[in-house]
Amino acid sequence: MSTIIEFIKKINHEVKKSCANTRLFPSVMIAQAILESNAGKSKLAMLHNNYFGIKSTKMWAGNSVHYLTTEYQNGIAIKIKQPFRSYPSMKDGFADRVKFLQVNKRYTVHGVFTSISPEEQVLAFLKAGYATDPNYAIKLVALIRKYDLKQFDL
């Protein structure tokens, strides 16, 4: 993908289908995909259709790959090698991302599925421990505003 606008055009229809009837805001999912995959330019996205940096665990029955990633511990960025889920298609990656959120109760407990705005949902993701970056919510809201992503919530 050469630009963020082209990336948004590439993924927005699949995101909207994945978010349908889930109470997830497409604007948030698009912003997360932009941020987590460097607008589709990361190897994890390009080679493995994992646009959200979803890690694999012992419970994951699908394919996995290992990559270095940045995690924040006590506010300090560190690089560590982690296993990530690998998907055969973008559609599979997006569908599993929604399923991942639905089966992990911490997202329900922290209000991801009851949020009334994208901004509230971004904060709920942060409270649920979705990301370790202390500026994660600020970055997502900035992307939502900069690229007018709320238009996909309609």
Side-chain angles (χ1 to χ4, degrees), residues 136-148:
Y136 189 73
I138 293 166
K139 291 174 183 178
L140 290 181
V141 171
L143 287 168
I144 290 167
R145 290 180 179 154
K146 181 174 182 176
Y147 295 102
D148 188 28

Side-chain angles (χ1 to χ4, degrees), residues 101-119:
L101 297 173
Q102 291 171 329
V103 300
N104 285 285
K105 298 296 180 209
R106 69 180 194 234
Y107 298 108
T108 300
V109 169
H110 290 283
V112 168
F113 297 103
T114 56
S115 299
I116 60 171
S117 71
E119 293 83 1

Side-chain angles (χ1 to χ4, degrees), residues 31-43:
Q32 288 175 309
I34 293 168
L35 186 59
E36 299 281 344
S37 75
N38 190 24
K41 295 177 189 171
S42 73
K43 285 185 180 181

Side-chain angles (χ1 to χ4, degrees), residues 9-82:
K9 287 179 183 176
K10 176 184 174 182
I11 70 167
N12 83 75
H13 295 294
E14 197 61 52
V15 168
K16 286 168 51 174
K17 285 195 291 187
S18 296
C19 290
N21 302 312
T22 65
R23 303 210 44 175
L24 293 170
F25 287 94
S27 60
V28 175
M29 192 169 180
I30 293 169
Q32 288 175 309
I34 293 168
L35 186 59
E36 299 281 344
S37 75
N38 190 24
K41 295 177 189 171
S42 73
K43 285 185 180 181
L44 192 57
M46 290 190 304
L47 302 176
H48 304 285
N49 295 299
N50 186 335
Y51 292 84
F52 304 98
I54 298 176
K55 295 178 180 86
S56 59
T57 63
K58 293 175 186 169
M59 301 301 288
W60 172 244
N63 292 328
S64 296
V65 294
H66 286 78
Y67 282 106
L68 272 178
T69 186
T70 302
E71 298 289 346
Y72 289 81
Q73 294 180 352
N74 299 319
I76 299 170
I78 60 167
K79 294 273 189 189
I80 56 174
K81 197 169 199 176
Q82 293 282 313

